[in-house]
Amino acid sequence: MILLDEKASQFLNITPHGHWWDGKLQSNQSPLTADVYNPVDGTRLASVSMGGEKEVDLAVRSADKAFQQWSKLSVHDRSALMHRFADLMEKEKEILAQIESLDVGKAITATRGFDIPFGIECIRYFADLAIQTPRDTPLAITNMEARVHRSPYGVCGFIFPWNFPYNLLLWGIIPALAAGNTVVVKPSEVTPLSTLYVAQLAVRAGIPAGVFNVVLGDGPSVGVTLTEHPLIKRMSFTGSARAGADVARRCGQRIIPCKLELGGKGAAVLFEDADIEKAATQLAGAITFNTGQVCCTATRWFVHENIYDTFSKRVVEVLQKIKVGASLDESTEMGPLASAEHKKRVLSYLDQGVKQGAKVLLEANHNEKNPGYFLSPFLLEGTDENICFREEIFGPTAFLVCFTSEEEAIRRVNQIPYGLANSVWSQDLTRANRVAEQLNAGNNWINAHNVFAYGLPYGGINQSGFGGGVNSPETLNDYLQPKTIARPLS
């Protein structure tokens, strides 16, 4: 078990953590607070203020005022400040890794090895991309001097979930900031801590006060108010399809654009010539990564009848060796679920699935005597009608089904309304590409799952969302609104 960094300890001991606008910590306008719990043992990790309409209004007005300064900076000046922001994060990456691990419950090796460095890379990628992206595109039109000019929207609102608070924060706000917008963020009240620490780092790095603001609170009090605030010019929501539909409806009533990154029920299709060892290792890693609390992970495994028994046996062997433990234990491969409430939800799905006839291939161990929110990986098999086949569970689990033909696999994968991420496993790349093209998902990977890189577009379709995705030039352009400027020459 590693020792907690002194700066991380001092940060966690702030009581309560307040909101953040005008470049400084703000006291709550009301006495309401909420506790943040350590998923490892269920103890109180921190206390945070809970805001409402007044806090949202003050934060949005701070962002609106700062927009006048931030948007008028040259793109080179903004980029330089963002690089300084990334540099400071690099210096404090161990503190960030510890805060994220404690807050979410994920293994410290994961936050060190993926979350924090990938977030820092996000800042540098969009800071450089903003310089390379032209703001004006000339139009070749007879007898006319014409162009499309792209400018920032203004204040952008963001609502983030609890599973990847650090990375989702940066994937969301960094392209908006690079484009010249200012932001107001509502993090999840379950895991708000890394967002607050990042906000402090932004000011220390020289990002002007009011450019990056944070309001703590729940969805009805803060999320709804933020979405409906008249100074918010663009919204982004990451979370469930149900809540995303509500955000879209409210944005539609105000006629402002919104970006939705929603849930999924990803499929992995393993043909008879798949590399069984590679597939078993990577798919086991997919459902244990962040304890399966990943919207794009593969949780429906379609396995060809010729390799079904061999693959099933091998993946069970791999999963049985996964070290489940405390987040700050460097030997831990998978930590607990993020909250007690979510653990109950996952176990409820398991119970319903079994009652509907699913067979358990690997039993879930949840150790009721342990006060933490631990749950070992588990596997089920059964029919396409089972609730665990059709609904997003968001835990360390997958549902196995057998198929016989390519056409059958495509049809069965596409029968549910989600469309986020699938993978195809085959040595025959012609077939793999042909199948990938026919699967209903915004992201389709071949002989791998959970593939992320800056410059590689990532976004959902159908009930998994819409609006430019993340991690690519399309994302930056999403935060620049086009304006036609034209002058007749005769």
Side-chain angles (χ1 to χ4, degrees), residues 194-268:
S194 59
T195 299
L196 290 169
Y197 198 81
V198 169
Q200 296 180 26
L201 292 182
V203 173
R204 285 169 53 192
I207 304 292
V211 170
F212 175 13
N213 309 276
V214 181
V215 181
L216 305 167
D218 60 22
S221 299
V222 174
V224 170
T225 305
L226 182 63
T227 305
E228 295 180 343
H229 197 287
L231 292 178
I232 293 291
K233 303 302 182 184
R234 206 181 202 296
M235 275 299 302
S236 175
F237 172 85
T238 307
S240 71
R242 178 190 55 78
D246 184 62
V247 170
R249 178 178 60 81
R250 294 176 190 277
C251 288
Q253 289 174 338
R254 294 211 297 118
I255 317 180
I256 65 166
C258 70
K259 177 198 290 284
L260 301 177
E261 297 286 341
L262 309 177
K265 189 67 177 176

Side-chain angles (χ1 to χ4, degrees), residues 374-456:
F374 291 98
L375 179 66
S376 68
F378 63 97
L379 295 178
L380 303 175
E381 67 176 2
T383 68
D384 298 10
E385 289 71 37
N386 194 283
I387 189 172
C388 292
F389 175 93
R390 307 194 71 84
E391 295 190 15
E392 185 177 34
I393 299 174
F394 226 52
T397 183
F399 195 94
L400 282 72
V401 294
C402 183
F403 76 93
T404 59
S405 71
E406 178 179 317
E407 294 75 17
E408 175 199 350
I410 294 169
R411 174 181 57 78
R412 292 170 68 189
V413 168
N414 289 342
Q415 66 183 292
I416 64 173
Y418 289 111
L420 190 51
N422 298 318
S423 57
V424 183
W425 302 76
S426 174
Q427 307 283 359
D428 182 346
L429 296 184
T430 299
R431 174 170 64 179
N433 278 280
R434 180 175 66 244
V435 172
E437 289 173 0
Q438 297 177 73
L439 297 182
N440 292 337
N443 311 277
N444 294 282
W445 302 308
I446 295 175
N447 294 331
H449 203 92
N450 291 343
V451 180
F452 298 98
Y454 291 108
L456 180 68

Side-chain angles (χ1 to χ4, degrees), residues 99-117:
I99 291 171
E100 187 79 341
S101 289
L102 286 169
D103 205 9
V104 186
K106 64 179 67 179
I108 186 69
T109 52
T111 55
R112 280 179 185 158
F114 173 74
D115 294 65
I116 306 308

Side-chain angles (χ1 to χ4, degrees), residues 144-145 162-163 188 212 235 280 283-284 287 289 293 325 354 410 414 440 465:
M144 192 176 296
E145 178 185 88
W162 46 261
N163 59 325
S188 167
F212 175 13
M235 275 299 302
L283 290 175
I287 66 168
F289 178 53
Q293 299 164 131
V354 171
I410 294 169
N414 289 342
N440 292 337

